Amino acid sequence: MSTAATSCSELLERHREIWNDATEHPFLAGCKDGSVKANQFDTWLVQDYLFVLQFTKFVEGLASLAPKDHAEAISGGVAALHDELSWFQAKASERRLSLDASPLETTLQYQKFLADLSAQPYPVQAVGFWAIELVYNQAWGFQASKEYEEFAERWGNADFGKYVKLLEAQADSALKKASQEEKIEADRVFVDIAKLEVKFWNMAFETKQ
Ligand code: HMH
């Protein structure tokens, strides 16, 4: 049976189990205690760069679709994502990694999901955008071991948390005006994002030497 989303907090409550799997993962535990292997981390770094390339396009599309009073926060997000892409390039070069890599299967799947999400009505996209930012804010919200501190800080910091809260308020207001079909679609998108995030951590964690 399909369920309809009426608010972000309701989605988090209803899908707590899969959400926990998306925000707590052995890969992240490895960044916390330093036991993650360099090749596992490097897979995540390169693949996440490829993800963020597509995610930036998604958010650019969302900024042009959003109602006027929501567009400012989203455009701020676009600017931050452009900075983030440069930051990924700097981190990759420090680690002697080429970003001219092919997306692995899960990355391709997530990129395709984002392209499809771009064709959805605004409320569905607003919920997806919020969920994709929240998952990293929560997942990286720990004191990481020295080598990975900067990564956890990027998404786990309090200002990013405030930004995610604003996205939640925007998604909630969009949901209030959404049709029943859109609310059902928003629920499905939220669950799909949680599942894709789990697969993304798995992809990095399962890197072979
Ligand atoms: C896989 N999900 C993934 N990568 C990211 N950089 C974000 C979300 C951003 O929040």
Side-chain angles (χ1 to χ4, degrees):
M1 200 196 70
S2 318
T3 40
T6 58
S7 72
C8 292
S9 59
E10 182 193 43
L11 284 170
L12 286 167
E13 233 170 83
R14 187 184 289 158
H15 304 293
R16 188 172 299 281
E17 210 168 317
I18 183 71
W19 193 256
N20 284 346
D21 292 344
T23 55
E24 292 166 26
H25 190 279
F27 176 85
L28 293 159
C31 295
K32 187 171 180 179
D33 68 13
S35 66
V36 70
K37 302 277 185 290
N39 64 343
Q40 293 174 310
F41 191 80
D42 293 346
T43 297
W44 168 79
L45 184 64
V46 172
Q47 295 298 310
D48 210 49
Y49 172 75
L50 300 175
F51 169 86
V52 174
L53 276 178
Q54 184 74 37
F55 183 54
T56 303
K57 289 187 203 163
F58 164 74
V59 183
E60 282 167 349
L62 184 63
S64 63
L65 185 86
K68 262 208 173 77
D69 60 328
H70 288 190
E72 193 182 326
I74 303 171
S75 299
V78 169
L81 285 166
H82 282 285
D83 288 347
E84 186 161 294
L85 287 169
S86 307
W87 176 81
F88 268 106
Q89 285 158 6
K91 295 302 117 186
S93 108
E94 280 170 20
R95 298 177 73 86
R96 304 273 175 274
L97 297 171
S98 168
L99 291 174
D100 187 19
S102 300
L104 296 175
E105 197 183 321
T106 297
T107 310
L108 271 176
Q109 204 186 336
Y110 212 161
Q111 288 174 332
K112 167 89 170 54
F113 172 87
L114 288 173
D116 292 346
L117 187 56
S118 289
Q120 291 271 16
Y122 177 67
V124 180
Q125 292 196 40
V127 168
F129 182 34
W130 158 73
I132 291 170
E133 296 291 39
L134 178 67
V135 76
Y136 262 40
N137 182 233
Q138 292 187 344
W140 290 104
F142 54 81
Q143 185 58 52
S145 68
K146 195 89 196 100
E147 189 180 354
Y148 305 108
E149 242 175 9
E150 191 183 342
F151 294 87
E153 176 60 20
R154 164 157 285 269
W155 290 283
N157 78 76
D159 279 345
F160 190 66
K162 276 189 212 158
Y163 168 67
V164 173
K165 272 283 165 208
L166 177 57
L167 299 184
E168 175 175 343
Q170 295 193 170
D172 278 345
S173 93
L175 276 176
K176 280 211 177 77
K177 296 171 196 150
S179 68
Q180 186 68 7
E181 287 77 19
E182 289 168 350
K183 287 176 182 163
I184 290 171
E185 200 55 28
D187 187 282
R188 189 189 65 76
V189 156
F190 180 84
V191 173
D192 284 351
I193 287 168
K195 289 180 181 166
L196 283 163
E197 292 289 340
V198 175
K199 280 184 86 168
F200 209 91
W201 299 127
N202 285 342
M203 167 180 69
F205 196 67
E206 288 159 10
T207 305
K208 300 289 177 288
Q209 196 60 61

PDB file of all heavy atoms in Angstrom, residues 48 51-52 55 84 110 132-133 135-136 155 160 197 200, ligand 1:
ATOM      1  N   ASP A  48      31.616  10.105  -5.161  1.00  0.00           N
ATOM      2  CA  ASP A  48      30.774  11.182  -4.639  1.00  0.00           C
ATOM      3  C   ASP A  48      30.942  12.450  -5.479  1.00  0.00           C
ATOM      4  O   ASP A  48      29.987  13.200  -5.678  1.00  0.00           O
ATOM      5  CB  ASP A  48      31.051  11.462  -3.155  1.00  0.00           C
ATOM      6  CG  ASP A  48      29.790  11.971  -2.453  1.00  0.00           C
ATOM      7  OD1 ASP A  48      28.728  11.341  -2.608  1.00  0.00           O
ATOM      8  OD2 ASP A  48      29.851  13.011  -1.779  1.00  0.00           O
ATOM      9  N   PHE A  51      28.717  11.957  -8.285  1.00  0.00           N
ATOM     10  CA  PHE A  51      27.349  12.171  -7.805  1.00  0.00           C
ATOM     11  C   PHE A  51      27.043  13.669  -7.712  1.00  0.00           C
ATOM     12  O   PHE A  51      25.994  14.142  -8.179  1.00  0.00           O
ATOM     13  CB  PHE A  51      27.151  11.501  -6.435  1.00  0.00           C
ATOM     14  CG  PHE A  51      25.872  11.905  -5.761  1.00  0.00           C
ATOM     15  CD1 PHE A  51      24.680  11.240  -6.039  1.00  0.00           C
ATOM     16  CD2 PHE A  51      25.843  12.974  -4.862  1.00  0.00           C
ATOM     17  CE1 PHE A  51      23.486  11.638  -5.441  1.00  0.00           C
ATOM     18  CE2 PHE A  51      24.658  13.375  -4.262  1.00  0.00           C
ATOM     19  CZ  PHE A  51      23.482  12.704  -4.551  1.00  0.00           C
ATOM     20  N   VAL A  52      27.949  14.423  -7.102  1.00  0.00           N
ATOM     21  CA  VAL A  52      27.706  15.858  -6.863  1.00  0.00           C
ATOM     22  C   VAL A  52      27.611  16.630  -8.187  1.00  0.00           C
ATOM     23  O   VAL A  52      26.846  17.592  -8.286  1.00  0.00           O
ATOM     24  CB  VAL A  52      28.756  16.462  -5.897  1.00  0.00           C
ATOM     25  CG1 VAL A  52      28.579  17.977  -5.769  1.00  0.00           C
ATOM     26  CG2 VAL A  52      28.640  15.821  -4.511  1.00  0.00           C
ATOM     27  N   PHE A  55      24.110  16.034  -9.050  1.00  0.00           N
ATOM     28  CA  PHE A  55      23.270  16.660  -8.022  1.00  0.00           C
ATOM     29  C   PHE A  55      23.213  18.179  -8.242  1.00  0.00           C
ATOM     30  O   PHE A  55      22.167  18.806  -8.074  1.00  0.00           O
ATOM     31  CB  PHE A  55      23.842  16.307  -6.639  1.00  0.00           C
ATOM     32  CG  PHE A  55      23.034  16.819  -5.473  1.00  0.00           C
ATOM     33  CD1 PHE A  55      21.676  16.537  -5.368  1.00  0.00           C
ATOM     34  CD2 PHE A  55      23.645  17.553  -4.462  1.00  0.00           C
ATOM     35  CE1 PHE A  55      20.933  17.000  -4.279  1.00  0.00           C
ATOM     36  CE2 PHE A  55      22.921  18.009  -3.365  1.00  0.00           C
ATOM     37  CZ  PHE A  55      21.561  17.733  -3.275  1.00  0.00           C
ATOM     38  N   GLU A  84      31.853  23.228  -3.643  1.00  0.00           N
ATOM     39  CA  GLU A  84      32.129  21.853  -3.212  1.00  0.00           C
ATOM     40  C   GLU A  84      32.831  21.056  -4.314  1.00  0.00           C
ATOM     41  O   GLU A  84      33.721  20.250  -4.026  1.00  0.00           O
ATOM     42  CB  GLU A  84      30.810  21.175  -2.827  1.00  0.00           C
ATOM     43  CG  GLU A  84      30.997  19.810  -2.228  1.00  0.00           C
ATOM     44  CD  GLU A  84      29.747  19.390  -1.462  1.00  0.00           C
ATOM     45  OE1 GLU A  84      29.439  20.037  -0.439  1.00  0.00           O
ATOM     46  OE2 GLU A  84      29.082  18.436  -1.892  1.00  0.00           O
ATOM     47  N   TYR A 110      22.095   6.243  -9.139  1.00  0.00           N
ATOM     48  CA  TYR A 110      21.719   7.449  -8.383  1.00  0.00           C
ATOM     49  C   TYR A 110      21.645   8.659  -9.332  1.00  0.00           C
ATOM     50  O   TYR A 110      20.748   9.500  -9.227  1.00  0.00           O
ATOM     51  CB  TYR A 110      22.712   7.687  -7.244  1.00  0.00           C
ATOM     52  CG  TYR A 110      22.125   8.341  -5.994  1.00  0.00           C
ATOM     53  CD1 TYR A 110      22.785   8.261  -4.773  1.00  0.00           C
ATOM     54  CD2 TYR A 110      20.914   9.036  -6.034  1.00  0.00           C
ATOM     55  CE1 TYR A 110      22.267   8.850  -3.621  1.00  0.00           C
ATOM     56  CE2 TYR A 110      20.382   9.632  -4.884  1.00  0.00           C
ATOM     57  CZ  TYR A 110      21.060   9.531  -3.684  1.00  0.00           C
ATOM     58  OH  TYR A 110      20.543  10.126  -2.549  1.00  0.00           O
ATOM     59  N   ILE A 132      18.267  14.474   0.582  1.00  0.00           N
ATOM     60  CA  ILE A 132      19.649  14.230   0.134  1.00  0.00           C
ATOM     61  C   ILE A 132      20.641  15.070   0.939  1.00  0.00           C
ATOM     62  O   ILE A 132      21.752  14.621   1.236  1.00  0.00           O
ATOM     63  CB  ILE A 132      19.776  14.483  -1.388  1.00  0.00           C
ATOM     64  CG1 ILE A 132      19.013  13.399  -2.162  1.00  0.00           C
ATOM     65  CG2 ILE A 132      21.244  14.506  -1.825  1.00  0.00           C
ATOM     66  CD1 ILE A 132      18.859  13.679  -3.658  1.00  0.00           C
ATOM     67  N   GLU A 133      20.243  16.256   1.347  1.00  0.00           N
ATOM     68  CA  GLU A 133      21.129  17.068   2.188  1.00  0.00           C
ATOM     69  C   GLU A 133      21.114  16.586   3.641  1.00  0.00           C
ATOM     70  O   GLU A 133      22.155  16.505   4.291  1.00  0.00           O
ATOM     71  CB  GLU A 133      20.737  18.549   2.118  1.00  0.00           C
ATOM     72  CG  GLU A 133      20.896  19.178   0.736  1.00  0.00           C
ATOM     73  CD  GLU A 133      22.344  19.331   0.273  1.00  0.00           C
ATOM     74  OE1 GLU A 133      23.177  18.439   0.522  1.00  0.00           O
ATOM     75  OE2 GLU A 133      22.643  20.360  -0.377  1.00  0.00           O
ATOM     76  N   VAL A 135      20.612  13.602   4.782  1.00  0.00           N
ATOM     77  CA  VAL A 135      21.283  12.314   5.004  1.00  0.00           C
ATOM     78  C   VAL A 135      22.778  12.544   5.275  1.00  0.00           C
ATOM     79  O   VAL A 135      23.358  11.919   6.172  1.00  0.00           O
ATOM     80  CB  VAL A 135      21.019  11.329   3.837  1.00  0.00           C
ATOM     81  CG1 VAL A 135      21.816  11.637   2.599  1.00  0.00           C
ATOM     82  CG2 VAL A 135      21.262   9.893   4.266  1.00  0.00           C
ATOM     83  N   TYR A 136      23.404  13.486   4.554  1.00  0.00           N
ATOM     84  CA  TYR A 136      24.828  13.736   4.804  1.00  0.00           C
ATOM     85  C   TYR A 136      25.048  14.526   6.092  1.00  0.00           C
ATOM     86  O   TYR A 136      26.023  14.302   6.799  1.00  0.00           O
ATOM     87  CB  TYR A 136      25.485  14.431   3.590  1.00  0.00           C
ATOM     88  CG  TYR A 136      26.201  13.417   2.704  1.00  0.00           C
ATOM     89  CD1 TYR A 136      25.633  12.177   2.460  1.00  0.00           C
ATOM     90  CD2 TYR A 136      27.445  13.682   2.142  1.00  0.00           C
ATOM     91  CE1 TYR A 136      26.285  11.227   1.677  1.00  0.00           C
ATOM     92  CE2 TYR A 136      28.111  12.735   1.364  1.00  0.00           C
ATOM     93  CZ  TYR A 136      27.521  11.518   1.141  1.00  0.00           C
ATOM     94  OH  TYR A 136      28.168  10.577   0.372  1.00  0.00           O
ATOM     95  N   TRP A 155      29.994  18.361   6.183  1.00  0.00           N
ATOM     96  CA  TRP A 155      28.538  18.117   6.168  1.00  0.00           C
ATOM     97  C   TRP A 155      27.939  18.075   7.570  1.00  0.00           C
ATOM     98  O   TRP A 155      26.733  18.242   7.720  1.00  0.00           O
ATOM     99  CB  TRP A 155      28.215  16.823   5.429  1.00  0.00           C
ATOM    100  CG  TRP A 155      28.454  16.916   3.959  1.00  0.00           C
ATOM    101  CD1 TRP A 155      27.637  17.538   3.038  1.00  0.00           C
ATOM    102  CD2 TRP A 155      29.569  16.387   3.220  1.00  0.00           C
ATOM    103  NE1 TRP A 155      28.183  17.423   1.785  1.00  0.00           N
ATOM    104  CE2 TRP A 155      29.363  16.721   1.860  1.00  0.00           C
ATOM    105  CE3 TRP A 155      30.719  15.669   3.573  1.00  0.00           C
ATOM    106  CZ2 TRP A 155      30.262  16.357   0.852  1.00  0.00           C
ATOM    107  CZ3 TRP A 155      31.610  15.307   2.573  1.00  0.00           C
ATOM    108  CH2 TRP A 155      31.374  15.650   1.228  1.00  0.00           C
ATOM    109  N   PHE A 160      25.482  23.958   8.282  1.00  0.00           N
ATOM    110  CA  PHE A 160      24.864  23.093   7.283  1.00  0.00           C
ATOM    111  C   PHE A 160      23.556  22.518   7.852  1.00  0.00           C
ATOM    112  O   PHE A 160      22.550  22.421   7.146  1.00  0.00           O
ATOM    113  CB  PHE A 160      25.827  21.980   6.843  1.00  0.00           C
ATOM    114  CG  PHE A 160      25.333  21.194   5.649  1.00  0.00           C
ATOM    115  CD1 PHE A 160      25.194  21.791   4.409  1.00  0.00           C
ATOM    116  CD2 PHE A 160      24.977  19.854   5.778  1.00  0.00           C
ATOM    117  CE1 PHE A 160      24.717  21.075   3.315  1.00  0.00           C
ATOM    118  CE2 PHE A 160      24.502  19.126   4.692  1.00  0.00           C
ATOM    119  CZ  PHE A 160      24.371  19.737   3.453  1.00  0.00           C
ATOM    120  N   GLU A 197      21.301   5.653  -0.748  1.00  0.00           N
ATOM    121  CA  GLU A 197      22.396   6.067   0.134  1.00  0.00           C
ATOM    122  C   GLU A 197      23.069   4.850   0.776  1.00  0.00           C
ATOM    123  O   GLU A 197      24.297   4.800   0.890  1.00  0.00           O
ATOM    124  CB  GLU A 197      21.884   7.030   1.212  1.00  0.00           C
ATOM    125  CG  GLU A 197      21.448   8.393   0.661  1.00  0.00           C
ATOM    126  CD  GLU A 197      22.610   9.277   0.196  1.00  0.00           C
ATOM    127  OE1 GLU A 197      23.759   9.038   0.611  1.00  0.00           O
ATOM    128  OE2 GLU A 197      22.358  10.212  -0.586  1.00  0.00           O
ATOM    129  N   PHE A 200      25.217   3.330  -1.748  1.00  0.00           N
ATOM    130  CA  PHE A 200      26.398   4.154  -2.021  1.00  0.00           C
ATOM    131  C   PHE A 200      27.499   3.889  -0.983  1.00  0.00           C
ATOM    132  O   PHE A 200      28.672   3.721  -1.338  1.00  0.00           O
ATOM    133  CB  PHE A 200      25.984   5.638  -2.028  1.00  0.00           C
ATOM    134  CG  PHE A 200      26.835   6.501  -2.917  1.00  0.00           C
ATOM    135  CD1 PHE A 200      26.490   6.712  -4.250  1.00  0.00           C
ATOM    136  CD2 PHE A 200      27.992   7.114  -2.434  1.00  0.00           C
ATOM    137  CE1 PHE A 200      27.279   7.518  -5.076  1.00  0.00           C
ATOM    138  CE2 PHE A 200      28.781   7.914  -3.255  1.00  0.00           C
ATOM    139  CZ  PHE A 200      28.427   8.113  -4.573  1.00  0.00           C
TER     140      PHE A 200
HETATM  141  C1  HMH B   1      25.686  10.132  -2.006  1.00  0.00           C
HETATM  142  N1  HMH B   1      24.361  11.889  -0.948  1.00  0.00           N
HETATM  143  C2  HMH B   1      25.513  11.527  -1.533  1.00  0.00           C
HETATM  144  N2  HMH B   1      26.516  12.387  -1.683  1.00  0.00           N
HETATM  145  C3  HMH B   1      26.387  13.669  -1.274  1.00  0.00           C
HETATM  146  N3  HMH B   1      27.426  14.516  -1.453  1.00  0.00           N
HETATM  147  C4  HMH B   1      25.200  14.097  -0.687  1.00  0.00           C
HETATM  148  C5  HMH B   1      24.186  13.160  -0.529  1.00  0.00           C
HETATM  149  C6  HMH B   1      25.050  15.543  -0.292  1.00  0.00           C
HETATM  150  O1  HMH B   1      24.335  15.789   0.786  1.00  0.00           O
END
